[in-house]
Structures are given as structure tokens and as C-alpha cells.
């Protein structure tokens, strides 16, 4: 049980007005803000029951984007479906900031011990039938008074609203996730191809190094290349100057064969 010291307990219902200041509050959600079932399941633990929640509600819920919760009492599981967006919008409408919310509970877990019916607004009352907390019109049943939350000891059965889960619905999230998975696969495929090409280039580099007796490092090979480029430039200039000098002497050919140098003009 949670003892609500210095905190106000609020019953949140679309048809019930509330007034709070800048204080921490515990929220009890009206049955009008969730769907609930009391059932027996062929599982023992809550973690196993959570896997079944979507299928257990699929034929009951109207269209919407739902979250699910469950707790166990004796041999029964109490399972819940609710829309975060609806609750969040109502909190905003009532001027309740998320920073001021200490905990959020279902009326089912906090008011299931009510004896008889109690009034929550001018038109509705809370009534417990077959262990299920329900809303009924005031005219259907005689109340024992208004709902009094001052002495309520809250249970540990709480939920956390998805603050941004309603912005993109789950089907869209699944599509986005699928696109991201494809994108990741493409990236890894590209990386694999790049790594394969890098390995090929490294092997080719090693083969060329061995074939042409190159130096072991790129720095050394660049130094050798620079040296031979300089020699090539010097020889090219020398040949150009020799060509000019020979033309001035009207020498057309120079041959060297069998240790004999022949010059013709």
C-alpha cells in the first residue's frame, strides 16, 4: 500500500470537475477511461499474462491506439486496455501537469472495496458488481453518499502513460521500424562490400610491391617516385638542349654501332 502523505488523490473522469493547485497528486482513473476484464488464464505469472493482453482484447476494443496492463488478485487476472492519448488530453484539460503526477491507478484496484454505490458527479455513481468497479447512472441505484478519497490507501498497481506514444500510432511505428531494419541491412551490406574491396586492394598492393620490388611503405615509394621524376625532368631538358645544339650544327643523325660513332648531316 502507498500512503499518500502530503499528496492529494484525484478521481479523473471526463464528466467530473476537479480543482488542484501546484501540488503532487495521485490519480485514480475513472472506469470510463479504460476497459477491464476479470479472467482466469492458463499461466501463473504476470509476465506471461502480458503476452496475451492484445489478443484478449482484440474483439472488444473500438479503433484506437491502446496500451495494456495487468495485475493478479488471488487466482484471477485483472487485465486493462486504455488509450494514453485520451488520458493525457484530459489531464491537460484539467490543468494537471505531468510533473505534478506522483502515480496513476485504475479505479478497479483502488475502489473495489466500496460497499454499495457512491456518487461521483450529478449523473454517475460508482458501483462494484462481481468484483468489477463500474459506472452506473445515478437513477439506477441508491447511493450512500459522495466519493471520499481522503482515507484511501493506494495499492502498488500503477501505470505509466506514454507521453509521446500517441503522436505516431503503433502501425506506423512498425512500418518505420521495418524501414530502419532495411536501412541497417543496406548499410551493413555496403560495409561488407567496402571491406571486401579494401581487402582486394591490399592484396593487389602486396602483389605489385613484390613484383616491382617496391619499398614496404607508401612514404618510401613516394620518395623514390619523386627522385625519378626529378631525373626524368633533368634528362628531358638535357635531350631538348642537345637537340637544339645538333640542329644548329646541321647534324641530322647520330648512330653508334660496333663501337663506331657515325655523325651525318
Amino acid at each position: 500500500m502507498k500512503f499518500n502523505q502530503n499528496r492529494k488523490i484525484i478521481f479523473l473522469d471526463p464528466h467530473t470537475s476537479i480543482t488542484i493547485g501546484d501540488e503532487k497528486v495521485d490519480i485514480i482513473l475513472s472506469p470510463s477511461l479504460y476497459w477491464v476484464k476479470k479472467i482466469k488464464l492458463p499461466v501463473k505469472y504476470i509476465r506471461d499474462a502480458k503476452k496475451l493482453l492484445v489478443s484478449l482484447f482484440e474483439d472488444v476494443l473500438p479503433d484506437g491506439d491502446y496500451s495494456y496492463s495487468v495485475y493478479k488478485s488471488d487466482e484471477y487476472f485483472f487485465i486493462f486496455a486504455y488509450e494514453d492519448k485520451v488520458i493525457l488530453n484530459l489531464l491537460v484539460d484539467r490543468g494537471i501537469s505531468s510533473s505534478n503526477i506522483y502515480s496513476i491507478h485504475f479505479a478497479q484496484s483502488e475502489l473495489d472495496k466500496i460497499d454499495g454505490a457512491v456518487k461521483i458527479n450529478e449523473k454517475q455513481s460508482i458501483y462494484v458488481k462481481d468484483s468489477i468497479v463500474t459506472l452506473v447512472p445515478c437513477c439506477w441505484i441508491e447511493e450512500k453518499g459522495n466519493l471520499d478519497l481522503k482515507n484511501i490507501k493506494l495499492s502498488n498497481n500503477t501505470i505509466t502513460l506514454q507521453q509521446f506514444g500517441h503522436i505516431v500510432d503503433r502501425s506506423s511505428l512498425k512500418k518505420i521500424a521495418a524501414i530502419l531494419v532495411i536501412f541497417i541491412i543496406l548499410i551493413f551490406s555496403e560495409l561488407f562490400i567496402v571491406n571486401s574491396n579494401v581487402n582486394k586492394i591490399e592484396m593487389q598492393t602486396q602483389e605489385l610491391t613484390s613484383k616491382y620490388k617496391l619499398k614496404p611503405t607508401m612514404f618510401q615509394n613516394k620518395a623514390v617516385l619523386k627522385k625519378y621524376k626529378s631525373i626524368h625532368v633533368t634528362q628531358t631538358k638535357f635531350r631538348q638542349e642537345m637537340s637544339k645544339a645538333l640542329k644548329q650544327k646541321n647534324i641530322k643523325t647520330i648512330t653508334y654501332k660496333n663501337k663506331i660513332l657515325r655523325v651525318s648531316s
Side-chain angles (χ1 to χ4, degrees):
M1 292 292 182
K2 293 184 177 180
F3 294 90
N4 48 304
Q5 297 178 351
N6 301 321
R7 295 196 306 272
K8 186 176 182 178
I9 300 177
I10 300 298
F11 184 81
L12 186 66
D13 181 85
H15 304 291
T16 304
S17 60
I18 54 177
T19 303
I20 66 167
D22 187 17
E23 56 188 319
K24 290 286 185 181
V25 294
D26 294 293
I27 305 291
I28 296 178
L29 299 178
S30 167
S32 64
L33 295 173
Y34 61 83
W35 284 258
V36 60
K37 288 184 178 183
K38 174 188 175 184
I39 58 176
K40 288 183 178 181
L41 294 174
V43 296
K44 185 177 180 181
Y45 301 106
I46 288 177
R47 65 174 180 270
D48 298 319
K50 286 181 178 179
K51 301 174 184 178
L52 307 173
L53 296 182
V54 176
S55 60
L56 291 171
F57 277 107
E58 63 182 356
D59 296 328
V60 177
L61 301 177
D63 291 338
D65 186 24
Y66 294 93
S67 294
Y68 301 89
S69 183
V70 59
Y71 70 83
K72 190 176 183 181
S73 179
D74 297 326
E75 58 183 334
Y76 290 95
F77 287 93
F78 287 85
I79 62 174
F80 302 85
Y82 57 95
E83 292 185 274
D84 298 87
K85 181 179 179 181
V86 172
I87 299 171
L88 288 167
N89 288 344
L90 184 56
L91 289 169
V92 172
D93 184 69
R94 295 295 189 268
I96 303 175
S97 170
S98 59
S99 61
N100 288 342
I101 299 174
Y102 185 83
S103 64
I104 301 177
H105 308 253
F106 296 113
Q108 177 61 46
S109 60
E110 313 310 315
L111 305 178
D112 60 335
K113 298 299 187 291
I114 288 179
D115 183 19
V118 292
K119 189 176 181 181
I120 63 167
N121 55 47
E122 295 301 320
K123 296 182 179 180
Q124 295 173 304
S125 297
I126 277 186
Y127 181 67
V128 181
K129 183 177 181 180
D130 298 328
S131 301
I132 297 294
V133 178
T134 60
L135 284 180
V136 295
C138 290
C139 60
W140 284 17
I141 195 167
E142 182 179 352
E143 301 97 350
K144 291 187 176 182
N146 294 325
L147 178 63
D148 183 8
L149 302 176
K150 291 180 181 179
N151 297 317
I152 292 288
K153 291 183 176 65
L154 298 173
S155 72
N156 293 319
N157 300 315
T158 63
I159 62 168
T160 300
L161 298 176
Q162 298 180 32
Q163 294 283 352
F164 305 103
H166 61 283
I167 295 176
V168 182
D169 60 40
R170 283 189 171 83
S171 61
S172 298
L173 286 174
K174 289 179 180 178
K175 293 177 182 177
I176 293 172
I179 293 172
L180 289 175
V181 169
I182 294 172
F183 184 67
I184 291 170
I185 292 173
L186 291 175
I187 290 176
F188 277 104
S189 299
E190 185 70 21
L191 287 173
F192 177 77
I193 293 171
V194 170
N195 287 333
S196 298
N197 290 335
V198 168
N199 292 333
K200 288 180 181 177
I201 291 172
E202 288 180 349
M203 291 179 63
Q204 290 173 352
T205 301
Q206 291 174 359
E207 291 174 358
L208 291 173
T209 299
S210 176
K211 181 178 181 180
Y212 295 102
K213 298 180 180 179
L214 300 177
K215 301 295 182 180
T217 67
M218 185 63 69
F219 178 79
Q220 290 173 306
N221 287 319
K222 285 184 177 180
V224 173
L225 178 62
K226 184 178 180 181
K227 173 184 175 182
Y228 282 106
K229 278 185 175 181
S230 178
I231 293 172
H232 174 71
V233 171
T234 301
Q235 290 181 342
T236 300
K237 288 182 178 179
F238 176 76
R239 286 195 297 270
Q240 289 173 347
E241 294 299 324
M242 283 291 295
S243 177
K244 289 179 182 179
L246 292 173
K247 285 181 179 179
Q248 290 176 355
K249 299 293 184 180
N250 199 27
I251 295 174
K252 295 182 178 179
T253 61
I254 297 176
T255 60
Y256 179 78
K257 186 176 182 181
N258 299 326
K259 299 182 179 181
I260 300 174
L261 178 66
R262 290 187 175 88
V263 178
S264 64
S265 59

